[in-house]
Amino acid sequence: MSTEIVKAEKANPALEPLRHQVGIVKALAPQITSRYCVALQGKQYVQVAGATLIANAMGYTVREVEVKRVDFGGGVTGWEATCEILDLDTGTIIGRGSGIVTDDEKPWGSRPQFARRAMASTRAAGRALRLSMGHLFAYLGDKVATVTLE
């Protein structure tokens, strides 16, 4: 037995917000993986609704900033959307993402314009959520991808 005195390391206070977020994700993991994940090729993918649930539990929300028709060139047109992740307490924007749906995309090219517009917005929300908190999806389980499904 050693009689050497060892100074204990103090917890790094800068890591507390991350520890808190990881705790939230771990607490939600059973609900997210059972209700808001889709299995594809041996991996589970979180749907945008599941990622939104995680964001809401952390005090964030997703807002649509812009959706517009775009001519992408070469005869390709479609919808482009931008969404942001907001801190509900401060109003601070903590993330942003964009998404598109083109009119020649299968199966979207045969769907009504309102559905294409909505999917562009969903993709933008998914991208914003993944970019701002996708690293936390790893705490949902080993088989869960760190990208959203839509």
Side-chain angles (χ1 to χ4, degrees), residues 14-44:
L15 295 177
E16 283 311 309
L18 180 59
R19 284 190 190 103
H20 178 69
Q21 290 177 337
V22 168
I24 289 170
V25 171
K26 285 182 175 182
L28 290 174
Q31 183 175 352
I32 299 292
T33 56
S34 68
R35 293 179 181 206
Y36 299 104
C37 281
V38 173
L40 293 171
Q41 299 176 338
K43 276 273 200 199
Q44 293 280 88

Side-chain angles (χ1 to χ4, degrees), residues 30-91:
Q31 183 175 352
I32 299 292
T33 56
S34 68
R35 293 179 181 206
Y36 299 104
C37 281
V38 173
L40 293 171
Q41 299 176 338
K43 276 273 200 199
Q44 293 280 88
Y45 290 86
V46 180
Q47 294 174 305
V48 172
T52 302
L53 176 61
I54 292 169
N56 291 160
M58 292 181 191
Y60 305 134
T61 191
V62 181
R63 85 169 162 195
E64 185 180 271
V65 176
E66 181 180 40
V67 183
K68 61 185 175 184
R69 287 285 295 166
V70 177
D71 182 344
F72 294 104
V76 178
T77 56
W79 292 93
E80 182 175 33
T82 303
C83 288
E84 294 176 336
I85 311 300
L86 286 168
D87 183 309
L88 289 168
D89 289 335
T90 66

